[in-house]
Amino acid sequence: MKWRVLLELTEANGNVETRELVTGHRPTSAIFPEDIGLTLAEGKSVLAAMQTELVQAQADEYCDHRRICSHCGSRRAIKDGRTRQLTTLFGVVKVEAPRLNPCRCGVASRRIVSPLAEIMRDRCTQEYERILVKIRSLAA
Ligand SMILES: [Zn+2]
């Protein structure tokens, strides 16, 4: 048997995109008890792949949203592209993080904007931080 796990993303504008996360297979003729279902490593791999795709998709959508100037509605130019790292419960995700030039109108913001710095300030998810605090309190 072969399988593949797909992630279907529907953007705010209604566009639907499907991304393949992982594939796997098991022998059909000689199935052993250890071949039934996912192993822990396979399950972690599925979650890590899903987290990576989801975080990048959310980051892309947020950056597209932030490119629109709130004053004049023009799209800001991308100054440069960097990467940003986000630590989550399902692994560390590296995402593309563009920086945006100020809008030509100069009204809404005269600074270079890094949209992902706004939503990934601590470079880890809040859930990851809460679990880390809980573990530290149990170890103390
Ligand atoms: Zn503007």
Side-chain angles (χ1 to χ4, degrees):
M1 175 189 289
K2 292 181 182 177
W3 75 83
R4 62 188 184 135
V5 178
L6 305 173
L7 177 65
E8 184 180 281
L9 300 166
T10 305
E11 298 172 8
N13 61 11
N15 286 346
V16 177
E17 187 179 327
T18 304
R19 299 179 187 180
E20 185 176 284
L21 298 180
V22 295
T23 60
H25 70 279
R26 292 284 189 269
T28 309
S29 55
I31 296 179
F32 298 100
E34 62 269 19
D35 293 330
I36 297 174
L38 294 175
T39 63
L40 180 59
E42 289 167 336
K44 285 181 176 180
S45 170
V46 170
L47 288 174
M50 186 183 303
Q51 188 76 307
T52 298
E53 292 293 333
L54 195 55
V55 170
Q56 185 64 62
Q58 288 178 298
D60 291 346
E61 197 170 59
Y62 186 73
C63 288
D64 281 349
H65 167 72
R66 290 289 285 130
R67 281 190 73 183
I68 307 298
C69 174
S70 62
H71 180 73
C72 70
S74 299
R75 284 176 68 87
R76 298 178 208 203
I78 294 175
K79 176 177 176 43
D80 56 23
R82 298 182 172 188
T83 57
R84 195 166 186 95
Q85 200 167 290
L86 182 71
T87 303
T88 77
L89 288 176
F90 306 108
V92 177
V93 177
K94 282 186 181 171
V95 293
E96 296 170 21
R99 292 193 312 160
L100 308 175
N101 279 326
C103 182
R104 290 185 185 158
C105 76
V107 175
S109 175
R110 295 182 181 187
R111 308 177 289 119
I112 294 167
V113 175
S114 180
L116 295 190
E118 299 168 359
I119 59 172
M120 298 179 183
R121 265 177 269 139
D122 300 328
R123 298 180 190 262
C124 66
T125 61
Q126 289 184 348
E127 188 177 28
Y128 176 83
E129 231 171 25
R130 274 196 307 273
I131 297 291
L132 200 61
V133 167
K134 191 171 185 175
I135 289 171
R136 285 181 181 155
S137 72
L138 292 172

